[in-house]
PDB file of all heavy atoms in Angstrom:
ATOM      1  N   VAL A 114      90.430  17.057 -73.356  1.00  0.00           N
ATOM      2  CA  VAL A 114      89.826  17.654 -74.500  1.00  0.00           C
ATOM      3  C   VAL A 114      90.601  18.912 -74.874  1.00  0.00           C
ATOM      4  O   VAL A 114      90.999  19.153 -76.007  1.00  0.00           O
ATOM      5  CB  VAL A 114      88.343  17.946 -74.268  1.00  0.00           C
ATOM      6  CG1 VAL A 114      87.816  18.849 -75.402  1.00  0.00           C
ATOM      7  CG2 VAL A 114      87.531  16.704 -74.126  1.00  0.00           C
ATOM      8  N   PHE A 115      90.925  19.786 -73.827  1.00  0.00           N
ATOM      9  CA  PHE A 115      91.540  20.997 -74.079  1.00  0.00           C
ATOM     10  C   PHE A 115      93.002  20.836 -74.489  1.00  0.00           C
ATOM     11  O   PHE A 115      93.565  21.597 -75.279  1.00  0.00           O
ATOM     12  CB  PHE A 115      91.437  21.982 -72.959  1.00  0.00           C
ATOM     13  CG  PHE A 115      90.160  22.687 -72.943  1.00  0.00           C
ATOM     14  CD1 PHE A 115      89.111  22.242 -72.139  1.00  0.00           C
ATOM     15  CD2 PHE A 115      89.930  23.886 -73.702  1.00  0.00           C
ATOM     16  CE1 PHE A 115      87.820  22.891 -72.042  1.00  0.00           C
ATOM     17  CE2 PHE A 115      88.698  24.496 -73.647  1.00  0.00           C
ATOM     18  CZ  PHE A 115      87.666  24.025 -72.893  1.00  0.00           C
ATOM     19  N   SER A 116      93.647  19.652 -74.072  1.00  0.00           N
ATOM     20  CA  SER A 116      95.016  19.450 -74.443  1.00  0.00           C
ATOM     21  C   SER A 116      95.162  19.050 -75.859  1.00  0.00           C
ATOM     22  O   SER A 116      96.231  19.096 -76.521  1.00  0.00           O
ATOM     23  CB  SER A 116      95.562  18.366 -73.603  1.00  0.00           C
ATOM     24  OG  SER A 116      95.063  17.107 -73.825  1.00  0.00           O
ATOM     25  N   ARG A 117      94.022  18.679 -76.454  1.00  0.00           N
ATOM     26  CA  ARG A 117      94.011  18.160 -77.896  1.00  0.00           C
ATOM     27  C   ARG A 117      93.546  19.224 -78.912  1.00  0.00           C
ATOM     28  O   ARG A 117      93.425  18.878 -80.083  1.00  0.00           O
ATOM     29  CB  ARG A 117      93.216  16.887 -77.974  1.00  0.00           C
ATOM     30  CG  ARG A 117      93.851  15.696 -77.300  1.00  0.00           C
ATOM     31  CD  ARG A 117      93.056  14.461 -77.440  1.00  0.00           C
ATOM     32  NE  ARG A 117      92.844  14.119 -78.860  1.00  0.00           N
ATOM     33  CZ  ARG A 117      93.737  13.421 -79.575  1.00  0.00           C
ATOM     34  NH1 ARG A 117      94.818  13.046 -79.020  1.00  0.00           N
ATOM     35  NH2 ARG A 117      93.383  13.138 -80.895  1.00  0.00           N
ATOM     36  N   LEU A 118      93.252  20.477 -78.448  1.00  0.00           N
ATOM     37  CA  LEU A 118      92.637  21.424 -79.337  1.00  0.00           C
ATOM     38  C   LEU A 118      93.670  21.863 -80.448  1.00  0.00           C
ATOM     39  O   LEU A 118      93.233  22.277 -81.534  1.00  0.00           O
ATOM     40  CB  LEU A 118      92.271  22.712 -78.529  1.00  0.00           C
ATOM     41  CG  LEU A 118      90.986  22.629 -77.730  1.00  0.00           C
ATOM     42  CD1 LEU A 118      90.718  24.026 -77.107  1.00  0.00           C
ATOM     43  CD2 LEU A 118      89.866  22.104 -78.635  1.00  0.00           C
ATOM     44  N   GLY A 119      94.861  21.636 -80.279  1.00  0.00           N
ATOM     45  CA  GLY A 119      95.874  22.026 -81.405  1.00  0.00           C
ATOM     46  C   GLY A 119      96.160  20.917 -82.212  1.00  0.00           C
ATOM     47  O   GLY A 119      97.127  20.931 -83.124  1.00  0.00           O
ATOM     48  N   GLN A 120      95.357  19.805 -82.188  1.00  0.00           N
ATOM     49  CA  GLN A 120      95.730  18.581 -83.010  1.00  0.00           C
ATOM     50  C   GLN A 120      94.500  18.255 -83.883  1.00  0.00           C
ATOM     51  O   GLN A 120      93.391  18.808 -83.745  1.00  0.00           O
ATOM     52  CB  GLN A 120      95.948  17.435 -82.023  1.00  0.00           C
ATOM     53  CG  GLN A 120      96.996  17.635 -81.007  1.00  0.00           C
ATOM     54  CD  GLN A 120      97.243  16.506 -80.051  1.00  0.00           C
ATOM     55  OE1 GLN A 120      97.008  15.361 -80.453  1.00  0.00           O
ATOM     56  NE2 GLN A 120      97.585  16.866 -78.840  1.00  0.00           N
ATOM     57  N   PRO A 121      94.631  17.319 -84.851  1.00  0.00           N
ATOM     58  CA  PRO A 121      93.563  16.923 -85.706  1.00  0.00           C
ATOM     59  C   PRO A 121      92.480  16.327 -84.827  1.00  0.00           C
ATOM     60  O   PRO A 121      92.764  15.769 -83.750  1.00  0.00           O
ATOM     61  CB  PRO A 121      94.175  15.771 -86.636  1.00  0.00           C
ATOM     62  CG  PRO A 121      95.627  16.099 -86.594  1.00  0.00           C
ATOM     63  CD  PRO A 121      95.965  16.648 -85.249  1.00  0.00           C
ATOM     64  N   PRO A 122      91.186  16.534 -85.114  1.00  0.00           N
ATOM     65  CA  PRO A 122      90.747  16.942 -86.449  1.00  0.00           C
ATOM     66  C   PRO A 122      90.463  18.452 -86.611  1.00  0.00           C
ATOM     67  O   PRO A 122      89.811  18.899 -87.500  1.00  0.00           O
ATOM     68  CB  PRO A 122      89.303  16.145 -86.478  1.00  0.00           C
ATOM     69  CG  PRO A 122      88.852  16.090 -85.092  1.00  0.00           C
ATOM     70  CD  PRO A 122      90.128  15.889 -84.307  1.00  0.00           C
ATOM     71  N   ILE A 123      91.089  19.217 -85.639  1.00  0.00           N
ATOM     72  CA  ILE A 123      90.994  20.636 -85.781  1.00  0.00           C
ATOM     73  C   ILE A 123      91.684  21.054 -87.099  1.00  0.00           C
ATOM     74  O   ILE A 123      92.773  20.632 -87.429  1.00  0.00           O
ATOM     75  CB  ILE A 123      91.643  21.414 -84.608  1.00  0.00           C
ATOM     76  CG1 ILE A 123      91.000  21.011 -83.321  1.00  0.00           C
ATOM     77  CG2 ILE A 123      91.607  22.914 -84.860  1.00  0.00           C
ATOM     78  CD1 ILE A 123      89.552  21.604 -83.229  1.00  0.00           C
ATOM     79  N   PRO A 124      91.031  21.881 -87.988  1.00  0.00           N
ATOM     80  CA  PRO A 124      91.692  22.266 -89.206  1.00  0.00           C
ATOM     81  C   PRO A 124      93.054  22.867 -88.986  1.00  0.00           C
ATOM     82  O   PRO A 124      93.176  23.680 -88.035  1.00  0.00           O
ATOM     83  CB  PRO A 124      90.725  23.310 -89.893  1.00  0.00           C
ATOM     84  CG  PRO A 124      89.412  22.886 -89.242  1.00  0.00           C
ATOM     85  CD  PRO A 124      89.685  22.451 -87.901  1.00  0.00           C
ATOM     86  N   TRP A 125      94.027  22.592 -89.863  1.00  0.00           N
ATOM     87  CA  TRP A 125      95.431  22.983 -89.591  1.00  0.00           C
ATOM     88  C   TRP A 125      95.521  24.473 -89.416  1.00  0.00           C
ATOM     89  O   TRP A 125      96.425  25.014 -88.583  1.00  0.00           O
ATOM     90  CB  TRP A 125      96.331  22.438 -90.568  1.00  0.00           C
ATOM     91  CG  TRP A 125      96.227  23.059 -91.926  1.00  0.00           C
ATOM     92  CD1 TRP A 125      95.426  22.629 -92.971  1.00  0.00           C
ATOM     93  CD2 TRP A 125      97.052  24.081 -92.450  1.00  0.00           C
ATOM     94  NE1 TRP A 125      95.558  23.411 -94.058  1.00  0.00           N
ATOM     95  CE2 TRP A 125      96.494  24.312 -93.757  1.00  0.00           C
ATOM     96  CE3 TRP A 125      97.924  25.000 -91.972  1.00  0.00           C
ATOM     97  CZ2 TRP A 125      97.087  25.354 -94.594  1.00  0.00           C
ATOM     98  CZ3 TRP A 125      98.545  26.005 -92.760  1.00  0.00           C
ATOM     99  CH2 TRP A 125      98.038  26.202 -94.050  1.00  0.00           C
ATOM    100  N   LEU A 127      93.650  26.452 -88.000  1.00  0.00           N
ATOM    101  CA  LEU A 127      93.120  26.936 -86.621  1.00  0.00           C
ATOM    102  C   LEU A 127      93.900  26.357 -85.399  1.00  0.00           C
ATOM    103  O   LEU A 127      93.743  26.766 -84.346  1.00  0.00           O
ATOM    104  CB  LEU A 127      91.604  26.580 -86.508  1.00  0.00           C
ATOM    105  CG  LEU A 127      90.681  27.147 -87.593  1.00  0.00           C
ATOM    106  CD1 LEU A 127      89.246  26.702 -87.254  1.00  0.00           C
ATOM    107  CD2 LEU A 127      90.686  28.731 -87.451  1.00  0.00           C
ATOM    108  N   ARG A 128      94.745  25.394 -85.752  1.00  0.00           N
ATOM    109  CA  ARG A 128      95.452  24.696 -84.735  1.00  0.00           C
ATOM    110  C   ARG A 128      96.274  25.585 -83.795  1.00  0.00           C
ATOM    111  O   ARG A 128      96.244  25.359 -82.524  1.00  0.00           O
ATOM    112  CB  ARG A 128      96.296  23.522 -85.272  1.00  0.00           C
ATOM    113  CG  ARG A 128      95.406  22.425 -85.804  1.00  0.00           C
ATOM    114  CD  ARG A 128      96.267  21.324 -86.418  1.00  0.00           C
ATOM    115  NE  ARG A 128      95.527  20.471 -87.218  1.00  0.00           N
ATOM    116  CZ  ARG A 128      95.943  19.622 -88.155  1.00  0.00           C
ATOM    117  NH1 ARG A 128      97.352  19.428 -88.268  1.00  0.00           N
ATOM    118  NH2 ARG A 128      95.119  18.877 -88.881  1.00  0.00           N
ATOM    119  N   PRO A 129      97.074  26.535 -84.355  1.00  0.00           N
ATOM    120  CA  PRO A 129      97.845  27.345 -83.358  1.00  0.00           C
ATOM    121  C   PRO A 129      96.884  28.118 -82.410  1.00  0.00           C
ATOM    122  O   PRO A 129      97.273  28.253 -81.168  1.00  0.00           O
ATOM    123  CB  PRO A 129      98.670  28.280 -84.363  1.00  0.00           C
ATOM    124  CG  PRO A 129      98.704  27.600 -85.631  1.00  0.00           C
ATOM    125  CD  PRO A 129      97.420  26.806 -85.693  1.00  0.00           C
ATOM    126  N   VAL A 130      95.853  28.758 -82.910  1.00  0.00           N
ATOM    127  CA  VAL A 130      94.968  29.535 -82.021  1.00  0.00           C
ATOM    128  C   VAL A 130      94.300  28.534 -81.089  1.00  0.00           C
ATOM    129  O   VAL A 130      94.167  28.833 -79.861  1.00  0.00           O
ATOM    130  CB  VAL A 130      93.924  30.284 -82.862  1.00  0.00           C
ATOM    131  CG1 VAL A 130      92.962  30.959 -81.995  1.00  0.00           C
ATOM    132  CG2 VAL A 130      94.680  31.247 -83.720  1.00  0.00           C
ATOM    133  N   ALA A 131      93.715  27.457 -81.605  1.00  0.00           N
ATOM    134  CA  ALA A 131      93.022  26.465 -80.764  1.00  0.00           C
ATOM    135  C   ALA A 131      94.016  25.928 -79.726  1.00  0.00           C
ATOM    136  O   ALA A 131      93.489  25.756 -78.499  1.00  0.00           O
ATOM    137  CB  ALA A 131      92.450  25.349 -81.619  1.00  0.00           C
ATOM    138  N   GLY A 132      95.196  25.550 -80.075  1.00  0.00           N
ATOM    139  CA  GLY A 132      96.164  25.055 -79.096  1.00  0.00           C
ATOM    140  C   GLY A 132      96.438  26.112 -78.037  1.00  0.00           C
ATOM    141  O   GLY A 132      96.486  25.650 -76.835  1.00  0.00           O
ATOM    142  N   ALA A 133      96.566  27.376 -78.386  1.00  0.00           N
ATOM    143  CA  ALA A 133      96.837  28.443 -77.384  1.00  0.00           C
ATOM    144  C   ALA A 133      95.684  28.556 -76.428  1.00  0.00           C
ATOM    145  O   ALA A 133      95.842  28.685 -75.199  1.00  0.00           O
ATOM    146  CB  ALA A 133      97.156  29.698 -78.083  1.00  0.00           C
ATOM    147  N   GLY A 135      93.523  26.161 -75.700  1.00  0.00           N
ATOM    148  CA  GLY A 135      93.511  25.018 -74.940  1.00  0.00           C
ATOM    149  C   GLY A 135      94.535  25.047 -73.740  1.00  0.00           C
ATOM    150  O   GLY A 135      94.204  24.760 -72.566  1.00  0.00           O
TER     151      GLY A 135
END
Side-chain angles (χ1 to χ4, degrees):
V114 170
F115 279 97
S116 73
R117 293 180 57 82
L118 282 185
Q120 305 176 33
I123 299 294
W125 68 272
L127 299 178
R128 288 175 197 168
V130 174

